[in-house]
Amino acid sequence: MLMAFFNILIFPGFLFLGAYALVMAFIDRKLYARLQNRQGPPWFQPLADFLKLIGKETIIPEDADKKVFAFLPVLALAAVTASYLYIPIWGNASLYPFEGDIIVILYLLTLPTLCFFLGGWYSTSVYATLGSVRVLTQLFSYEIPLFVALLAPALLAGTWSLSGITQYYAAHPLYILINLPSFVVAVIACQGKLERVPFDLPEAETEIVGGAFVEYSGRLYAIFRMAIDSEMVVVSSLIAAVFLPFFTGNAIADFGLYIVKTLGILCIFALFRTIMARIRIEQMVAFCWKILMPLAMIQLIINLLLKGVLA
């Protein structure tokens, strides 16, 4: 019981995830700045921003449902933290593996996006409502290609357990090359899931100020920001577990390898963010359904055929 409490709250749970999220947020902002030939923030800037928001006054719109308005950021952060417990970070097995846990992870990672939508909707603000509608529209665009891209490797591995998928490809490293199209789809779709350039349409501060979060302030907005930064860690960890299942068998070395893999994926995200310009919402929808979805389906069909051959 005490160990479970430690795992959930300390490591690899809430505190570690929050700390690593702040580290990744700094590296992301620093790398993004350097790629644009700017200096970038100091190392403590993400923590300073979080503490500053915590200390600010929390203002809730008069017409908003106050209980729902305040509960949504907490739910978003809790869902992200829960999903992290099922991802391997110091070996080829997670803390609480079970058959079908990848479905649970994908479900839990959908909840924060729905919280963003509901947060904007319940803000009763024109800007927030428009931002929330864009959040939901974008969700319908990237979610299916992302799911198919992550489930295609699971189909070939013959298991719906993330730990099982990781162990299968660790035992058959050459099969990783088969899933390269899925890797590309997953990286691009996750860029949309994290609402990063060129898919930052829901926030788009030059158009609709702060998107769905325009009415959030103080500690509630700080919790939302922490949920977003933590989601970046979880998404990077998920991609690393499925597509980069390299392990040594030593827990310390494997944890160091996990850090390297997730930071490498973060660098891809930052590079993608640097070289692209924001697109319009209809371009996002068309790109996901006309390009990403067919590519993900082709990968699924290939893996289905290969499963019959390899079996």
Side-chain angles (χ1 to χ4, degrees):
M1 185 67 180
L2 185 61
M3 181 56 68
F5 183 81
F6 175 83
N7 289 333
I8 293 172
L9 288 185
I10 309 297
F11 182 82
F14 177 71
L15 289 182
F16 172 75
L17 177 60
Y20 193 33
L22 293 175
V23 171
M24 289 192 74
F26 160 70
I27 295 175
D28 177 48
R29 292 170 64 177
K30 191 73 172 181
L31 183 59
Y32 182 53
R34 296 308 298 160
L35 288 171
Q36 293 182 329
N37 200 28
R38 296 186 289 108
Q39 185 63 33
W43 65 269
F44 54 83
Q45 193 62 55
L47 178 60
D49 292 342
F50 179 76
L51 295 176
K52 180 182 68 175
L53 285 172
I54 289 292
K56 285 183 173 291
E57 180 184 4
T58 299
I59 301 173
I60 299 179
E62 184 177 355
D63 296 331
D65 186 318
K66 294 178 173 54
K67 291 183 179 179
V68 174
F69 189 87
F71 175 68
L72 288 170
V74 178
L75 177 59
L77 183 57
V80 173
T81 304
S83 67
Y84 193 58
L85 299 177
Y86 299 107
I87 298 178
I89 64 172
W90 62 72
N92 57 10
S94 65
L95 195 62
Y96 303 112
F98 64 91
E99 187 63 33
D101 56 11
I102 190 172
I103 305 298
V104 174
I105 293 171
L106 294 175
Y107 166 74
L108 289 172
L109 287 177
T110 302
L111 290 181
T113 307
L114 295 177
C115 289
F116 301 160
F117 162 71
L118 292 174
W121 190 264
Y122 277 98
S123 296
T124 65
S125 162
V126 175
Y127 287 119
T129 302
L130 180 57
S132 68
V133 170
R134 288 190 177 189
V135 167
L136 204 58
T137 303
Q138 190 155 297
L139 172 70
F140 294 145
S141 301
Y142 66 73
E143 198 83 338
I144 303 302
L146 176 61
F147 283 10
V148 174
L150 291 173
L151 294 179
L155 181 65
L156 183 59
T159 175
W160 299 112
S161 168
L162 183 58
S163 297
I165 296 169
T166 303
Q167 292 167 13
Y168 177 83
Y169 287 105
H172 306 85
L174 291 180
Y175 290 177
I176 298 172
L177 300 176
I178 299 173
N179 295 315
L180 282 178
S182 277
F183 174 75
V184 174
V185 172
V187 168
I188 297 175
C190 284
Q191 195 85 351
K193 183 170 187 59
L194 297 171
E195 298 179 7
R196 295 162 58 90
V197 177
F199 308 126
D200 61 332
L201 305 115
E203 194 158 343
E205 62 269 5
T206 56
E207 301 171 19
I208 50 176
V209 189
F213 307 127
V214 69
E215 297 294 339
Y216 275 89
S217 60
R219 66 179 181 277
L220 296 181
Y221 184 56
I223 296 173
F224 258 143
R225 293 307 312 175
M226 179 58 72
I228 293 171
D229 291 339
S230 299
E231 190 177 26
M232 182 165 61
V233 175
V234 175
V235 164
S236 300
S237 303
L238 180 60
I239 293 176
V242 174
F243 298 104
L244 303 173
F246 308 120
F247 301 98
T248 65
N250 180 279
I252 297 177
D254 286 340
F255 179 71
L257 193 58
Y258 159 78
I259 298 295
V260 171
K261 290 188 291 186
T262 50
L263 290 180
I265 293 169
L266 176 65
C267 291
I268 296 175
F269 286 156
L271 181 62
F272 198 81
R273 177 186 177 193
T274 304
I275 63 177
M276 300 294 292
R278 180 188 303 141
I279 62 176
R280 299 190 306 272
I281 188 67
E282 73 275 11
Q283 292 174 319
M284 167 68 175
V285 174
F287 175 74
C288 287
W289 284 102
K290 293 181 179 179
I291 297 178
L292 290 190
M293 188 59 190
L295 186 59
M297 287 302 298
I298 290 171
Q299 178 75 78
L300 188 67
I301 294 171
I302 290 174
N303 285 13
L304 186 62
L305 295 174
L306 284 175
K307 182 174 176 59
V309 172
L310 297 174

